[in-house]
Amino acid sequence: MENKTLVIKRLAIFYVIALLPVIVTVVAVNSACGGYIYESSDPGNATTAFITGALLMLAPAIANIVTRLITKEGFGDNYLGFTAGKGNMRYYVLSVVLKPVEAIVGMLLLYLIFLNKTELSDAVFGDISLAAVAAVLMQIAYSVIVFFPAFGEELGWRGYMMPKLLKIMPKPAAIIVGGILQGLWYAPLTVSGHTFGTKYFMYPWLGILAMCGIGIAMNAVLTLLTERTKSVYPASFCSMIGKNLSAVVMAQLLLAEPALMQLMMTVSKFDTMLVTFLPSVITGTVCFILFIIKKDKTSK
Amino acid sequence: MKGHIFKNLYLIKSNLITIGVMQLVVSGVLILVSFFGQNPITGYDEGMIFTTAALCYYLSYFIASNASSDMFKVDERPGWVSFSATTPSSARGQVLSKYYCKLIIFSGVTFICFITDLAVSIILPGYSGLSLLPILFSVEIFLEAIQIPFYIRFGSDKGLSIKGAAIDILILILLVYFLFGDISFLLGEDDGFAEFTKWLGSELPSFIISLIPYVSLTLYYISYRIGLKVYRKGAENYGE
C-alpha cells in the first residue's frame, strides 16, 4: 500500500508538469497573435490554434512519463494493455457508440430549444443525402487523427491521475476532484476562447466553472470505462470521437443551411455549447451512479 | 499477449529503426517541398502540395508495411511454432499479436504523419492534409487484411510473392485501362486536380470513400479469424 503523502506529492508533481506547458504556451501564443488565439478570424491563427490545442493535449501523457521518471515510481500500472475480451467488450463498444449518440441527442436539443419555430423537416432533415451520410461517416473516421491528442490526455488523466486519486479518497470524491482538476487545467484555454468563446456573462469565470462541471461528467464516464477495462484505450476512443463529433459538428453536417445560419446568428457560442453538453452531463450522472453502486456491491 | 507483442517488436527492432529513419526522410522531403515549393507571388499550389503529401504519406505506410513483414519470418524457425503453442495464449495469441503489432506500427506512422502535417500547415497557413490520413490508414489496413492470412498460411516468402503478384496484376489492369480506357479526365484543358477533387466530392464517390474505413476494419477482423484458422496448417509447412 502506497503512502498517502507520497501519492499526494506525486499527484502534485504530475499536475504542475501537466499544467505548466499549457500556461506558458497559451500566454506565448496569445502574445504572438496579439489577442486571444481562439477568437481570431485570421486563417493563419486558426491553424496555430488547432496545432496549439492538438499538441497541448499531449501534455498530460508527457507529465505521466516525466513524473514516473522524476519520482522513480516505475512504469507499472500504466493501463496500456489492450484488454478487449469477453468480460469487458461491452465497454469497448460503449466507448465507440456513446459519443455519436450524445451528438445526435445534442443536435436534437439544439433544434428543440433554439429552432423550435422551424419545421423539423426544414431544419434537421433538410439536406439528408448520400453526401451528408458520407460526411458524418468520414467525420467519425477522422477521429483516427484526433486519437493521439485524446490518448495523450487519457494517459495522463485516467492512466495516472485517477488511479492515484482513487487510492487517497472515496470513488465519488475522486471523480469530482479529478473532474475539477481537469476543468482547471483547461482554464488557460478557456480564457483564450476555446470551447465557449469570450462573449458570455461573467467571462471567464462562468466558462471555467462550466468546464469543471463538464470535466466531472466526462471524468465519471471515462473513469468508469478505464476502471472496468483496466485500460486507457476505451476512454481514448470515447474522448477522440467526442472531440471530433460534437453536436455542433453534427449540426454543421446535417442541418439545412438556413437553420444553421439562424443558429449561428442568434445563439451565443456559450449557450450552444452548454446545451450540447447536456447529454454528456446525463450520461456522466448515470456513470457516476453506476460507479458508486458497483463500489457498494464489492464492499458488501 | 503483451509478451508476444514485445517479442514481435523486439525481433524486428532494426526494421523499426529503418521505418523511423525512412519516416524522417519522407517527412523531411514533404516539409522541404512545402517550404521551397512556394511561388513568391502566387503562393503555394494546393493541388501540388496535396498530391505530394498523399504520395509521401502513402510511401510511409508502404515502407512500414513491408519492413514490418519480417515479424512473420522470425516465427518460421524450427521449434518456435511448437514452443509458442505451449504458451498460455497459444496459437490465438501468436496470431492476434501480429495483427496488434501491425496496428501499433501503423498508428506510429499515422502519428508521425500527423506531426508532419502540422509542421506543413505552419509553413503553409490554410493547408491541411489531415483528411488523407484516415483514408490511407484504412487502405493500408485493407491491404494488410488481405496479405496477412497468406503470410500465415504459406510462410513469409511465399506470402510476399503472392503480394507481389497481386500488385503486378493491379498495375497490369491500370496499364490496360490507361491504354484503352477513358482517360479524358487526364487530358482535359481544365485543372486536373480540381476536376478530380470535384469528382471525389460528388455524392456516390464520397459515400463509397466514407465506407472504406469501416469496411477495412471489418475486413481486418475477418482476416484475423481466417489467420487463426489457417495458422496450424501453415505452421506444419514452415521451414520447408
Side-chain angles (χ1 to χ4, degrees):
Chain A
M1 190 70 184
E2 275 181 279
N3 182 320
K4 202 171 175 175
T5 321
L6 185 68
V7 174
I8 294 171
K9 272 184 190 171
R10 284 174 175 168
L11 264 176
I13 293 169
F14 163 80
Y15 197 70
V16 169
I17 296 172
L19 185 63
L20 262 181
V22 183
I23 297 172
V24 172
T25 311
V26 169
V27 169
V29 167
N30 282 346
S31 329
C33 295
Y36 293 131
I37 181 76
Y38 291 99
E39 285 292 279
S40 173
S41 52
D42 182 354
N45 285 351
T47 308
T48 313
F50 173 73
I51 293 169
T52 307
L55 292 181
L56 283 179
M57 300 300 153
L58 299 173
I62 295 166
N64 177 348
I65 295 164
V66 173
T67 309
R68 284 174 189 271
L69 288 173
I70 290 174
T71 59
K72 294 178 181 163
E73 185 186 342
F75 287 87
D77 295 334
N78 53 29
Y79 286 74
L80 280 174
F82 193 75
T83 55
K86 280 179 185 168
N88 51 24
M89 203 59 207
R90 61 197 157 138
Y91 293 107
Y92 279 83
V93 174
L94 182 71
S95 71
V96 176
V97 172
L98 184 65
K99 287 297 165 184
V101 173
E102 277 183 7
I104 292 168
V105 174
M107 192 190 69
L108 288 175
L109 282 176
L110 280 178
Y111 167 76
L112 289 172
I113 296 170
F114 300 120
L115 301 170
N116 49 13
K117 284 173 188 160
T118 315
E119 280 294 314
L120 189 67
S121 54
D122 292 341
V124 183
F125 303 114
D127 192 25
I128 288 283
S129 59
L130 271 185
V133 175
V136 174
L137 288 174
M138 278 315 291
Q139 193 64 29
I140 298 173
Y142 289 153
S143 303
V144 169
I145 303 161
V146 194
F147 174 77
F148 303 106
F151 176 71
E153 268 203 275
E154 294 315 315
L155 191 58
W157 302 135
R158 255 57 65 179
Y160 191 85
M161 182 184 76
M162 284 314 295
K164 293 270 182 287
L165 283 176
L166 288 166
K167 274 179 191 165
I168 56 173
M169 58 183 77
K171 279 180 181 177
I175 296 279
I176 293 167
V177 172
I180 292 171
L181 286 175
Q182 199 182 337
L184 290 176
W185 181 82
Y186 273 100
L189 292 165
T190 310
V191 172
S192 304
H194 188 268
T195 314
F196 299 117
T198 55
K199 295 173 186 69
Y200 56 87
F201 177 64
M202 281 177 68
Y203 160 82
W205 307 111
L206 198 59
I208 294 171
L209 193 69
M211 278 310 285
C212 290
I214 293 161
I216 293 169
M218 288 295 293
N219 196 24
V221 177
L222 299 173
T223 305
L224 181 86
L225 290 173
T226 308
E227 288 300 317
R228 292 282 198 274
T229 57
K230 294 292 170 199
S231 169
V232 290
Y233 297 110
S236 303
F237 295 150
C238 189
S239 183
M240 79 178 185
I241 296 173
K243 283 181 198 307
N244 206 39
L245 193 77
S246 63
V248 176
V249 174
M250 194 66 112
Q252 284 168 350
L253 295 172
L254 292 182
L255 278 188
E257 191 71 24
L260 186 62
M261 288 308 289
Q262 189 189 339
L263 189 70
M264 288 169 78
M265 302 297 278
T266 56
V267 186
S268 75
K269 195 177 174 186
F270 186 81
D271 291 344
T272 310
M273 294 310 283
L274 270 193
V275 169
T276 56
F277 275 125
L278 267 176
S280 304
V281 173
I282 294 166
T283 47
T285 311
V286 172
C287 290
F288 191 85
I289 294 165
L290 282 174
F291 212 45
I292 297 165
I293 289 171
K294 185 76 176 178
K295 184 204 164 196
D296 289 341
K297 276 181 185 170
T298 47
S299 59
K300 276 172 193 171
Chain B
M1 181 55 63
K2 262 186 192 173
H4 276 301
I5 294 172
F6 281 129
K7 186 267 295 174
N8 285 333
L9 295 177
Y10 182 77
L11 287 174
I12 58 159
K13 60 179 184 298
S14 55
N15 299 43
L16 293 179
I17 293 167
T18 311
I19 294 171
V21 171
M22 290 309 292
Q23 273 281 287
L24 289 179
V25 171
V26 170
S27 301
V29 167
L30 181 59
I31 290 169
L32 284 175
V33 167
S34 58
F35 197 77
F36 293 108
Q38 294 183 71
N39 185 318
I41 300 161
T42 57
Y44 67 92
D45 179 350
E46 199 184 347
M48 185 273 287
I49 197 72
F50 204 74
T51 313
T52 314
L55 283 173
C56 286
Y57 295 153
Y58 183 71
L59 195 62
S60 304
Y61 284 110
F62 185 74
I63 292 166
S65 166
N66 283 341
S68 60
S69 297
D70 269 3
M71 78 171 78
F72 295 94
K73 198 165 197 165
V74 292
D75 281 356
E76 291 164 18
R77 288 167 301 176
W80 169 252
V81 177
S82 323
F83 172 72
S84 71
T86 62
T87 57
S89 53
S90 69
R92 183 181 167 275
Q94 183 72 14
V95 175
L96 188 59
S97 69
K98 305 287 183 205
Y99 282 85
Y100 276 154
C101 280
K102 284 276 182 182
L103 271 184
I104 290 168
I105 291 166
F106 290 142
S107 300
V109 171
T110 310
F111 180 66
I112 297 173
C113 292
F114 170 71
I115 297 290
T116 308
D117 209 78
L118 293 186
V120 174
S121 59
I122 291 173
I123 299 166
L124 308 173
Y127 157 86
S128 176
L130 288 178
S131 57
L132 287 167
L133 295 180
I135 297 294
L136 291 176
F137 180 85
S138 311
V139 168
E140 205 51 54
I141 288 292
F142 182 88
L143 295 176
E144 290 295 331
I146 293 169
Q147 70 192 35
I148 293 177
F150 283 109
Y151 283 147
I152 293 173
R153 174 62 184 83
F154 300 107
S156 56
D157 287 337
K158 284 180 190 165
L160 205 60
S161 309
I162 292 168
K163 181 187 169 186
I167 292 172
D168 286 346
I169 291 168
L170 194 67
I171 291 171
L172 198 70
I173 292 169
L174 281 175
L175 272 176
V176 170
Y177 180 79
F178 280 117
L179 280 174
F180 305 107
D182 175 21
I183 52 166
S184 55
F185 65 95
L186 285 176
L187 306 170
E189 286 178 7
D190 295 333
D191 180 3
F193 178 75
E195 285 291 311
F196 183 64
T197 47
K198 194 179 161 191
W199 177 77
L200 280 182
S202 52
E203 205 157 282
L204 192 62
S206 65
F207 180 68
I208 292 168
I209 290 169
S210 72
L211 290 178
I212 291 175
Y214 306 96
V215 172
S216 300
L217 281 177
T218 312
L219 200 67
Y220 201 66
Y221 177 73
I222 294 169
S223 168
Y224 156 65
R225 304 299 303 187
I226 294 169
L228 206 56
K229 277 214 161 83
V230 298
Y231 178 74
R232 283 184 204 287
K233 195 85 181 160
E236 288 168 10
N237 303 324
Y238 290 163
E240 279 180 7

